[in-house]
Amino acid sequence: MSNVVLEKVSRTFGEFAAVSGVDLRVNEGEFVTLLGPSGCGKTTTLRMVAGLEQNTGGRISIGGRVVSDAARDLFVPAEHRALGMVFQSYAIWPHMSVFDNVAYPLRVRRVGRSDMRRRVLEALQLVEMADYADRPAPALSGGQQQRVAIARALVFEPALLLLDEPLSNLDARLRAQMGSEFRALQKRLGITSLYVTHDQEEAMALSDRVVVMQAGRVLQIGAPEDIYQRPASRDVANFFGSPNLLPATVVSCARLSDADFALSVRGSAWEGTCHAGEARAVGAEVLVLVRPESMRLAEGTAPATGALSGRVVQSSFHGARRAVTVEVHGSLMHAEVPATASLSEQVTFTIDEKAAWALSA
Amino acid sequence: MTVSADDSLHDSGRPAPTARLFAALRLLRATAAGRIVGLALLVAVLALLSVYPLSMLLYGSLHSTPPGMAGTFNLDGYRDILTRENSITLVNTVGISLAKTVPSLALAVLLAWILARTDTPCRGALEVLVTLPFFIPPILTAMAWGMLGNPQVGLLNQLYQAITGSSAAPINVYSYGGVVWHMMQYSVPFLFLLIVDAFRAMDPSLEEAARMCGASRLRTFRTITLQLMLPALTGGAILSFIRGIENFESPLFFGAPAGIHVITTDIYDSINQRSPPQYQYATAVSFVIMALLFLIVLVQWRLLRGRSFATVSGKGYSPGIVRLGPWRWVTFAVCMLFFIVTVVLPVGQLLIGSFFKFFGFYQWDMLTFEHYEAVFGSSEFWRGFGNTMLLGLIGASATMVLGGLVAYISVRTKWRGRSLIDAMAWLPWMMPGIVLGVGFLWGFALLPRAIPIYGTIWALLLAYISLGTPLSVRVMSSAYAQLSFDIEECSRVHGASWLTTMWRIVIALSWPSFVVGWVLVFFGIMRELSASVLLYSIGSEVLSVVLLKLWVNGNAEQVSVIGLMMMVMVILFRWVQLGFTRRHLGTL
């Protein structure tokens, strides 16, 4: 019912294309996150789904009904789309009580008094705010406002929930807690959700699928694991953490399944095996993606084949792990090692080849 | 806020007088005793400007004879207030102010919404045009409307008669309607300036959230936008109401000829129009109006306590702009119509009036330059012009320096006595110009003969500084409040002395606000009539007084010429101010 379909959706402001040619399908009950740096068009995309912004190209349909089609000049405004939305600033109305805030959508829909009271309290119970119903809205903390905003968005049982960076104004500890609470609620209600964030960890922790956007375009759509371990491009790989990209030449290529190929490669500093999503010709140039946590500190000093040796340039302690920057043949590489490991000035690393991934150079 | 580097950083080779001044200031600053002397000096100046005239009012209201004459103390002044006519005067005062505040507020909300929240074309230019009437001295538009809306020979009535062929004169500005109408030309832009930023700064997601909940645009405006604006609207309406009660020009020009009296004109009449002048009565009435204002301020304080909503989120969003389609030309026309009626019509009348031999008789053979010759050949005009300029320059500078000092002490120090200083500087705000004029009248008369200030332009200067100080303190306070303490402390930590910090950091960053405040105070002095008309004497007339005298003598043609000159000055100053503000403060 609540499939959201975006077909070639674009939005231009004069000469500037904020969003260009976005294709996306969100399945029923799915939690999809639009992820990207600020200015990548993710919020504009969400606002076009909401009906707060009109798309200048393409078509948007929600639940099988076309709500916006630039070609036919069709546009259903926000108030007639019946979607729930949680704003970055929460947009809790300060001149109303918590109850009145949540009751507003029902008042607009002329729901009867007793029915309204029951539904508002139910919605507040969902977010554990029923005790605060009579509080004036300005007396709430950030986290509480967030909960009220969610209750208000859910109270009229919309088919789709839109969330625009809802956690970015909270402090780190509360952000993690609210995130997992919201995900649990979303799963329990089975409500289709479209979520916008610039925080890659948040996106990976919460979503069924992640849409990585840059400069108004979709770079990759996939499950968080795929996006992280098998990125489609260098830009997507760079978006998460500080990856190592080793230039290498393909020596051989073997097909394991439709989308999994085993390559053996040789680079200037390192040779070994890695995986790829498509067949690569022998002799082709690739970049091998190695995440810092796939770098293994080697025991002993004898450099085996497939090992990298270098000098420790910088080392910082992060509790469970230690982040190390190593200079190998003039280029810097990042590694994460157990905090208990003893480091000498010269270190040798091996690479977890199961996690190494080839990208087009 | 941007400040060019060369203004704040010319350090090498500081001139000697500045160095000496710095040394003297350093001495003051260095010791606790020095600071106390400095503070005492400031308190003395403020006391002279506010507490002295206020206490003289009290003295005068109890004193049976005019200032400077031997008399007895009694309560006759207060007893005379309790008459039937005076209760009508009180009802008039409050009623007229209410009658102009309510429609002004509605119109100001409409204009603010159009200019802040819609895609009406040329909004930037329209905003300048719509706020222009606020800066025109009311005496000018009063005289222009006196000519436009005169029931016998007014241009509007002549036009009506020429078009319809009837002999009826539908417009008469000498009426309740005329008084309200003239006040509205000021209160609409005044309210607009007060509320437009609240419209502009509102977090758009507050409204978008309502629309996501299914509310239509109209419902959103009614239940969200307007409700959130309510504190700002109430605050603005109360201020506008207070200004309506203090207003002098509108009831003087349009009320008095029709027998409509309000408190301010009553004070004026009892001193200037009655023989012998009723000083004791005028002073007693002054206390009534101050009590009324005090009551309103109390109400305002109670109403607005804790009712200000922080609707501005951290994110630098532009507010939601409503696309009006073809309707945007209608809203454009509404703004232009307001500008035409409040500025173009009066200025046009002055222009026409200045070129015809007699006001009201507009035929080709009546065209003449003789009024220009008469005005430019009149020593009275040049004296008034010179006095206004001199008082404007000195008065605005002195007021801003005083306001800057008071604001600095009350905002940025923890010195004891700072709230006393702040309160003393705020006191004149409770006194309409005419009341302050009466207070100074008594005050100057009771000074020892060795200080012959009464009848000189310095008497006017003191009154102007006193009237302008609350404004200057407010402007400078908000400028200082924007500077974070870190900036000042950072400079101290890096080894700069307190004085260097003041000079290089605080003044360097707040001088644009100083300039903006200076222009506002200058405008205030140029338009001031009610205190001036009580405190001037032969030789110390200012332009507004010269205008009033010419008007009373029936010389509407020369009034037009002088009015036109002043209008040109206003527009010039406003233009310079706008350009300056845009460059240095980034906003209007």
Side-chain angles (χ1 to χ4, degrees):
Chain A
M1 220 321 255
S2 62
N3 290 346
V4 182
V5 182
L6 279 70
E7 292 164 273
K8 300 256 173 299
V9 168
S10 305
R11 170 73 188 158
T12 51
F13 297 99
E15 291 286 288
F16 173 71
V19 175
S20 39
V22 168
D23 283 305
L24 174 66
R25 289 184 154 274
V26 181
N27 301 321
E28 189 167 348
E30 199 180 17
F31 190 121
V32 172
T33 298
L34 303 176
L35 173 69
S38 49
C40 72
K42 56 191 191 300
T43 294
T44 308
T45 306
L46 188 81
R47 290 169 60 83
M48 288 191 289
V49 175
L52 294 169
E53 201 95 54
Q54 191 166 358
N55 49 319
T56 49
R59 184 160 61 176
I60 301 172
S61 14
I62 297 168
R65 165 181 168 227
V66 178
V67 291
S68 176
D69 189 342
R72 283 192 288 147
D73 207 20
L74 172 89
F75 180 73
V76 179
E79 57 266 37
H80 295 138
R81 291 193 187 184
L83 311 176
M85 183 154 175
V86 177
F87 290 83
Q88 184 178 17
S89 60
Y90 319 131
I92 295 299
W93 300 305
H95 60 298
M96 297 182 190
S97 69
V98 168
F99 184 93
D100 289 333
N101 261 284
V102 179
Y104 190 87
L106 301 179
R107 289 219 167 91
V108 171
R109 288 170 175 74
R110 299 178 194 284
V111 173
R113 188 171 285 273
S114 60
D115 194 24
M116 177 171 77
R117 181 155 187 88
R118 181 182 55 76
R119 287 169 67 179
V120 169
L121 288 179
E122 270 175 20
L124 283 172
Q125 259 153 22
L126 276 181
V127 295
E128 295 167 18
M129 286 292 290
D131 294 342
Y132 294 82
D134 297 324
R135 293 270 182 102
L140 299 181
S141 71
Q144 289 169 334
Q145 288 195 36
Q146 169 72 274
R147 288 164 195 261
V148 175
I150 292 171
R152 183 177 63 189
L154 292 175
V155 71
F156 60 99
E157 289 158 19
L160 172 64
L161 186 59
L162 306 171
L163 302 103
D164 183 11
E165 307 219 15
L167 301 180
S168 64
N169 285 345
L170 300 175
D171 62 64
R173 183 186 288 267
L174 198 56
R175 194 181 309 167
Q177 185 200 340
M178 285 299 297
S180 50
E181 271 181 31
F182 175 73
R183 176 61 162 151
L185 181 66
Q186 185 268 337
K187 275 187 174 155
R188 186 147 62 89
L189 300 177
I191 184 167
T192 313
S193 302
L194 195 54
Y195 188 99
V196 160
T197 183
H198 64 268
D199 183 324
Q200 65 270 27
E201 292 195 13
E202 202 175 292
M204 288 191 290
L206 299 179
S207 325
D208 292 318
R209 280 193 301 153
V210 176
V211 180
V212 182
M213 291 183 70
Q214 192 177 50
R217 293 178 183 282
V218 172
L219 294 182
Q220 190 174 1
I221 304 178
E225 295 83 357
D226 283 338
I227 301 268
Y228 185 75
Q229 287 159 359
R230 292 179 285 280
S233 68
R234 195 174 167 165
D235 285 332
V236 178
N238 269 323
F239 200 73
F240 299 92
S242 36
N244 301 301
L245 293 167
L246 306 171
T249 313
V250 176
V251 177
S252 69
C253 173
R255 181 177 174 281
L256 300 176
S257 71
D258 276 350
D260 193 7
F261 295 80
L263 306 183
S264 97
V265 296
R266 181 181 295 132
S268 60
W270 170 82
E271 59 178 280
T273 61
C274 64
H275 292 262
E278 61 210 90
R280 302 278 180 175
V282 171
E285 299 289 320
V286 292
L287 284 172
V288 180
L289 164 71
V290 181
R291 296 276 175 200
E293 66 273 17
S294 308
M295 304 269 284
R296 297 278 154 78
L297 198 57
E299 299 292 328
T301 48
T305 44
L308 291 159
S309 282
R311 189 171 60 84
V312 175
V313 182
Q314 200 180 41
S315 151
S316 60
F317 177 65
H318 292 274
R321 310 190 69 76
R322 184 180 287 279
V324 187
T325 309
V326 183
E327 190 187 327
V328 182
H329 294 291
S331 57
L332 295 178
M333 294 189 67
H334 305 283
E336 273 185 17
V337 300
T340 49
S342 58
L343 285 173
S344 46
E345 202 182 323
Q346 283 287 326
V347 287
T348 303
F349 285 101
T350 57
I351 286 168
D352 179 2
E353 295 182 341
K354 287 195 294 298
W357 178 254
L359 296 166
S360 301
Chain B
M1 193 188 293
T2 50
V3 172
S4 58
D6 51 350
D7 282 315
S8 53
L9 296 177
H10 54 81
D11 178 19
S12 52
R14 192 178 285 143
T18 330
R20 216 174 303 134
L21 180 72
F22 269 59
L25 282 170
R26 199 170 291 131
L27 193 74
L28 276 183
R29 165 76 188 168
T31 60
R35 185 205 289 177
I36 288 168
V37 170
L39 275 179
L41 216 65
L42 190 61
V43 169
V45 169
L46 287 171
L48 174 69
L49 289 173
S50 64
V51 180
Y52 183 60
L54 187 65
S55 41
M56 282 303 112
L57 274 179
L58 184 64
Y59 174 87
S61 71
L62 300 170
H63 197 260
S64 65
T65 52
M69 282 191 219
T72 54
F73 290 97
N74 57 39
L75 290 172
D76 286 354
Y78 291 99
R79 194 177 314 135
D80 291 346
I81 293 174
L82 304 170
T83 64
R84 209 174 142 267
E85 288 135 65
N86 278 348
S87 59
I88 295 174
T89 304
L90 182 68
V91 170
N92 273 344
T93 308
V94 173
I96 287 174
S97 191
L98 268 182
K100 70 106 189 181
T101 302
V102 174
S104 299
L105 188 64
L107 198 51
V109 166
L110 177 68
L111 290 175
W113 178 76
I114 289 175
L115 293 178
R117 305 298 303 273
T118 70
D119 63 343
T120 302
C122 313
R123 273 169 297 156
L126 281 180
E127 188 164 339
V128 173
L129 297 183
V130 160
T131 52
L132 190 61
F134 178 69
F135 298 93
I136 300 173
I139 187 174
L140 297 187
T141 49
M143 290 166 172
W145 276 101
M147 297 185 238
L148 280 168
N150 186 302
Q152 280 85 44
V153 289
L155 196 58
L156 292 180
N157 284 322
Q158 287 193 21
L159 273 177
Y160 176 82
Q161 286 159 0
I163 292 168
T164 61
S166 82
S167 59
I171 294 169
N172 179 11
V173 286
Y174 299 108
S175 61
Y176 279 103
V179 179
V180 168
W181 166 245
H182 184 247
M183 283 188 183
M184 274 181 67
Q185 294 179 43
Y186 291 88
S187 48
V188 172
F190 173 76
L191 283 165
F192 174 87
L193 286 168
L194 281 180
I195 62 178
V196 70
D197 279 336
F199 264 98
R200 236 194 291 269
M202 188 182 291
D203 179 358
S205 60
L206 289 168
E207 288 162 274
E208 286 168 359
R211 300 202 43 221
M212 292 308 294
C213 290
S216 65
R217 274 187 196 284
L218 196 65
R219 189 182 181 124
T220 303
F221 186 80
R222 197 163 47 78
T223 58
I224 306 295
T225 317
L226 215 52
Q227 298 293 322
L228 287 170
M229 298 280 307
L230 210 53
L233 295 183
T234 322
I238 291 175
L239 273 182
S240 171
F241 182 62
I242 289 176
R243 287 178 69 101
I245 286 176
E246 294 181 346
N247 192 307
F248 177 62
E249 286 89 347
S250 315
L252 178 71
F253 279 88
F254 305 122
I260 301 163
H261 294 286
V262 298
I263 297 179
T264 49
T265 51
D266 196 29
I267 296 172
Y268 175 72
D269 285 350
S270 57
I271 291 178
N272 264 29
Q273 309 288 332
R274 275 177 221 161
S275 172
Q278 305 286 309
Y279 281 101
Q280 189 179 16
Y281 172 76
T283 347
V285 174
S286 300
F287 265 99
V288 174
I289 193 171
M290 279 197 292
L292 191 62
L293 292 177
F294 189 68
L295 213 68
I296 299 167
V297 170
L298 275 187
V299 169
Q300 174 188 28
W301 185 73
R302 276 199 67 88
L303 269 183
L304 294 185
R305 197 173 35 174
R307 289 268 299 159
S308 130
F309 304 130
T311 56
V312 187
S313 73
K315 203 166 176 180
Y317 256 134
S318 57
I321 296 287
V322 178
R323 282 173 213 292
L324 293 173
W327 283 95
R328 70 187 193 278
W329 294 105
V330 175
T331 54
F332 178 81
V334 167
C335 296
M336 278 314 284
L337 188 68
F338 180 79
F339 170 69
I340 287 169
V341 169
T342 57
V343 178
V344 176
L345 274 187
V347 173
Q349 169 68 64
L350 293 179
L351 197 65
I352 293 171
S354 69
F355 284 115
F356 284 93
K357 202 164 232 151
F358 301 110
F359 146 66
F361 298 91
Y362 306 124
Q363 282 117 27
W364 287 115
D365 55 342
M366 294 289 225
L367 276 171
T368 177
F369 274 112
E370 69 181 46
H371 307 310
Y372 282 86
E373 286 160 15
V375 164
F376 290 130
S378 134
S379 61
E380 203 179 8
F381 165 71
W382 287 111
R383 203 164 56 209
F385 180 77
N387 283 340
T388 295
M389 281 295 142
L390 185 69
L391 287 169
L393 295 176
I394 300 178
S397 309
T399 307
M400 286 312 293
V401 169
L402 185 65
L405 276 174
V406 170
Y408 184 85
I409 290 171
S410 74
V411 173
R412 298 196 75 90
T413 71
K414 301 260 176 278
W415 296 353
R416 254 194 295 167
R418 65 181 194 284
S419 44
L420 174 74
I421 288 174
D422 199 36
M424 281 167 74
W426 178 77
L427 208 54
W429 197 82
M430 294 287 300
M431 296 193 253
I434 190 117
V435 171
L436 198 80
V438 175
F440 271 119
L441 208 59
W442 278 94
F444 295 143
L446 289 179
L447 282 176
R449 281 189 194 282
I451 315 174
I453 201 169
Y454 179 64
T456 66
I457 62 168
W458 310 119
L460 289 168
L461 181 69
L462 284 182
Y464 290 164
I465 295 175
S466 180
L467 281 171
T469 302
L471 175 70
S472 68
V473 171
R474 190 171 302 176
V475 169
M476 293 312 287
S477 295
S478 60
Y480 293 144
Q482 282 174 6
L483 294 180
S484 82
F485 277 94
D486 301 355
I487 292 177
E488 209 174 323
E489 281 164 1
C490 175
S491 163
R492 301 293 298 280
V493 165
H494 285 88
S497 70
W498 179 79
L499 274 169
T500 316
T501 304
M502 267 308 268
W503 181 249
R504 299 270 301 267
I505 309 291
V506 177
I507 292 179
L509 287 175
S510 58
W511 73 270
S513 300
F514 185 94
V515 173
V516 169
W518 192 94
V519 174
L520 285 177
V521 174
F522 189 91
F523 272 128
I525 291 174
M526 200 158 72
R527 70 195 293 171
E528 215 296 318
L529 176 67
S530 51
S532 319
V533 82
L534 288 183
L535 293 173
Y536 86 93
S537 64
I538 307 300
S540 68
E541 299 99 334
V542 288
L543 266 187
S544 55
V545 172
V546 172
L547 276 174
L548 185 65
K549 283 165 91 176
L550 282 171
W551 178 261
V552 171
N553 292 335
N555 201 336
E557 299 80 15
Q558 290 189 21
V559 160
S560 302
V561 175
I562 299 177
L564 219 52
M565 304 289 124
M566 284 179 87
M567 205 72 95
V568 169
M569 266 161 55
V570 167
I571 291 170
L572 211 68
F573 257 90
R574 177 76 181 136
W575 183 60
V576 169
Q577 183 204 14
L578 276 176
F580 177 85
T581 313
R582 251 184 221 145
R583 190 144 27 96
H584 292 282
L585 295 172
T587 56
L588 274 179

